[in-house]
Amino acid sequence: MGRDGILPKQLGNTHRRCLTPTVAINVVGAAAIILALVVGFGKDPYPDGYGYFGTFGTLPILVLYIITSVSLIRYVWKSDREHFSFIRHALCPIIGAVVMLLPVYGSVWPFPAWPANLITVLAFVWIGLGLVVGYMLRRRAGAMLERVGRVLTS
């Protein structure tokens, strides 16, 4: 995204020998350290701080897994219908989505007490923000996202 101008171009800089995005790695690492220190100093790091990071980090991944599982059904049905297998391309993704939905459900019912409820709400706000930004990027940089999608699926 740095190389394509969506994020600051410096984030797209890569190491000459390793070809890793060194600036982006350092920015993410610094943000993680700062966030860990803020939570650690503001709250008992264990088990509360660890639980907050776990909730905030896991809920979006679970929701992404659910979306990916359901998307597989539509993708295979539209792009390769002749090889569509009900068990492989519908039943298994649905089972996977339902299994991943269980911890998501457990995170909101019963609704947690303060401050864990704030972390849960923030995780879902983060997911919503990601969806909004994704749709905005799709409209603004659709061709670039198509290239990224082809690279990731190859």
Side-chain angles (χ1 to χ4, degrees), residues 15 19 27 31 35 48 52 57 63-64 81 92 96 103 107 109 111 115 119 131 136 140 150-152:
H15 189 272
L19 301 177
V27 168
L35 187 60
D48 293 338
Y52 300 153
V63 171
L64 182 64
R81 191 175 295 184
C92 287
S107 295
W109 188 262
F111 201 65
I119 301 300
L131 290 172
M136 289 172 51
R140 182 173 146 212
R150 279 195 297 277
V151 167
L152 291 175

Side-chain angles (χ1 to χ4, degrees), residues 17-18 22 35 38 47 75 87 90 113-114:
R17 186 173 44 91
C18 300
T22 53
L35 187 60
V38 168
Y75 175 78
I87 292 174
W114 175 263

Side-chain angles (χ1 to χ4, degrees), residues 60-81:
I61 291 170
L62 293 173
V63 171
L64 182 64
Y65 185 90
I66 293 166
I67 292 169
T68 303
S69 295
V70 173
S71 298
L72 174 72
I73 300 167
R74 181 177 183 270
Y75 175 78
V76 175
W77 182 258
K78 285 195 156 267
S79 67
D80 195 13
R81 191 175 295 184

Side-chain angles (χ1 to χ4, degrees), residues 28-38:
V28 170
I33 289 169
I34 291 168
L35 187 60
L37 289 173
V38 168

